[in-house]
């Protein structure tokens, strides 16, 4: 019942935003999606003219943006974007402002030459994103903690970049996640533990500072930070947390603390 409620709420948000877009268009103003695409076009360099040649905003016919290279729409006759696929186009620049792409569920910017950080506002810009692929670029800095607010994420690909710091332990709240990779970065610290799912070591490969989980090696790894943070936020045994209105899960049943407890026990046994 709770899961159905969250789905209904999400659909109501989408319908409300769609209705607002219709009102905006009918009153002669530019819709949020068109504004978003303009921002993307302006912020990305396209040295090989892979997509910009088709992004012509002089057309005012309803649904014209659905003919843009890399753009897919909910309905081909309406300016409502569902996905942007700009992978392997050798684009340059930083992560584009997608502030007005409220209905976007798929964003693929993989295989380009993008630099800079992944913006902390990403969960505000893309509240309904299910697929986010930023792999094979040159993004640097830390993975934004607030990315866990993208609660509909099924796929999160951040591999083959220059990301540093810890993998936010809050990512274990992405309970819909099915495909995850941060391989080939410069990350450190313990790997996160996801709800009812374990990702293979290949998802974390070539990050010499990572440890724990399916990686196996605990050399130089401190699980205390990850567990203490999760404990401070959500409590320890018996505490239940509601995930997006989709039900309640016990953190202990997730095993969020089990591995750290096992490592502490082994450490104590070695001392004795």
């Amino acid at each position: 019942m709770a899961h159905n409620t969250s789905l209904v709420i999400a659909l109501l948000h989408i319908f409300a935003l769609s209705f607002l877009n219709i009102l905006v268009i009918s009153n002669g103003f530019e819709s949020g999606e068109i504004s978003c695409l303009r921002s993307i076009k302006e912020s990305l360099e396209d040295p090989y003219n892979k997509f910009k040649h088709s992004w012509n905003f002089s057309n005012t016919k309803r649904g014209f943006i659905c003919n843009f290279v890399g753009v897919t729409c909910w309905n081909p006759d309406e300016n409502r974007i569902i996905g942007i696929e700009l992978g392997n186009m050798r684009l340059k620049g930083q992560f584009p402002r997608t502030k007005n792409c409220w209905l976007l569920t798929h964003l693929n910017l993989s295989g380009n030459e993008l630099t800079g950080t992944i913006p902390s506002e990403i969960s505000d810009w893309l509240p309904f994103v299910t697929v986010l692929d930023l792999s094979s670029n040159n993004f640097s800095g830390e993975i934004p903690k607030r990315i866990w607010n993208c609660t509909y994420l099924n796929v999160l690909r951040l591999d083959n970049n220059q990301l540093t710091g810890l993998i936010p332990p809050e990512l274990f709240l992405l309970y819909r996640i099915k495909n995850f990779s941060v391989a080939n970065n410069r990350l450190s610290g313990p790997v996160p533990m996801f709800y009812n799912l374990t990702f293979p070591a290949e998802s974390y490969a070539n990050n010499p500072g990572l440890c724990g989980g399916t990686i196996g090696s605990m050399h130089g790894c401190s699980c205390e930070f990850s567990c203490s943070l999760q404990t401070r936020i959500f409590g320890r045994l018996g505490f239940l947390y509601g995930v997006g209105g989709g039900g309640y899960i016990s953190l202990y049943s997730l095993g969020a603390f089990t591995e750290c407890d096992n490592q502490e026990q082994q450490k104590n046994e070695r001392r004795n």
Side-chain angles (χ1 to χ4, degrees):
M1 179 66 71
H3 178 73
N4 291 335
T5 300
S6 65
L7 180 60
V8 170
I9 292 173
L11 290 174
L12 286 175
H13 276 115
I14 292 174
F15 290 144
L17 289 170
S18 300
F19 181 68
L20 286 174
N21 276 340
I22 293 172
L23 289 178
V24 166
I25 294 171
S26 64
N27 284 282
F29 296 103
E30 186 169 88
S31 73
E33 277 85 353
I34 295 176
S35 176
C36 173
L37 293 180
R38 283 187 185 275
S39 178
I40 292 174
K41 183 178 181 179
E42 292 170 359
S43 60
L44 293 178
E45 298 177 33
D46 183 14
Y48 299 95
N49 203 24
K50 296 287 188 177
F51 80 95
K52 284 191 175 184
H53 68 280
S54 76
W55 287 32
N56 183 354
F57 295 96
S58 61
N59 191 337
T60 58
K61 183 179 178 181
R62 185 183 295 272
F64 74 96
I65 62 175
C66 302
N67 296 317
F68 287 4
V69 169
V71 174
T72 54
C73 296
W74 290 83
N75 186 315
D77 297 323
E78 298 179 9
N79 292 331
R80 292 187 296 160
I81 304 169
I82 190 173
I84 297 177
E85 297 277 343
L86 299 178
N88 299 303
M89 293 187 176
R90 301 172 72 178
L91 306 176
K92 298 182 179 181
Q94 299 189 347
F95 189 96
R97 287 181 61 85
T98 54
K99 184 177 180 180
N100 294 310
C101 288
W102 301 295
L103 305 179
L104 194 69
T105 64
H106 294 67
L107 178 61
N108 179 9
L109 297 174
S110 65
N112 289 299
E113 300 173 26
L114 304 181
T115 59
T117 61
I118 301 172
S120 60
E121 303 93 338
I122 191 167
S123 61
D124 298 324
W125 295 351
L126 303 172
F128 299 110
V129 66
T130 61
V131 176
L132 181 61
D133 191 347
L134 305 179
S135 62
S136 300
N137 279 286
N138 290 305
F139 287 115
S140 58
E142 297 184 348
I143 300 172
K145 294 181 175 65
R146 290 173 59 191
I147 204 167
W148 75 268
N149 283 318
C150 297
T151 56
Y152 295 95
L153 270 175
N154 290 180
V155 176
L156 179 58
R157 296 288 306 274
L158 303 175
D159 47 289
N160 295 291
N161 280 288
Q162 302 294 324
L163 299 172
T164 56
L166 299 169
I167 302 176
E170 293 92 341
L171 294 190
F172 84 98
L173 289 171
L174 294 174
Y175 72 105
R176 290 183 173 92
I177 200 76
K178 296 289 186 279
N179 186 326
F180 175 77
S181 179
V182 291
N184 301 305
N185 280 286
R186 294 184 290 164
L187 298 166
S188 58
V191 301
M193 301 173 191
F194 291 90
Y195 168 60
N196 202 30
L197 194 63
T198 300
F199 293 103
E202 289 78 10
S203 295
Y204 307 100
N206 298 318
N207 287 281
L210 287 181
C211 50
T214 52
I215 295 177
S217 173
M218 294 300 296
H219 177 69
C221 183
S222 173
C223 275
E224 285 80 359
F225 174 82
S226 178
C227 284
S228 64
L229 177 59
Q230 291 174 341
T231 302
R232 288 198 305 272
I233 299 174
F234 303 108
R236 187 84 175 182
L237 298 178
F239 187 87
L240 299 178
Y241 178 75
V243 183
Y248 290 88
I249 53 175
S250 167
L251 295 190
Y252 188 73
S253 69
L254 299 186
F257 306 106
T258 304
E259 179 165 346
C260 291
D261 292 341
N262 290 341
Q263 295 301 327
E264 187 64 27
Q265 182 179 350
Q266 293 174 11
K267 189 187 301 182
N268 292 333
E269 288 175 354
R270 287 195 296 269
R271 289 171 181 169
N272 297 331

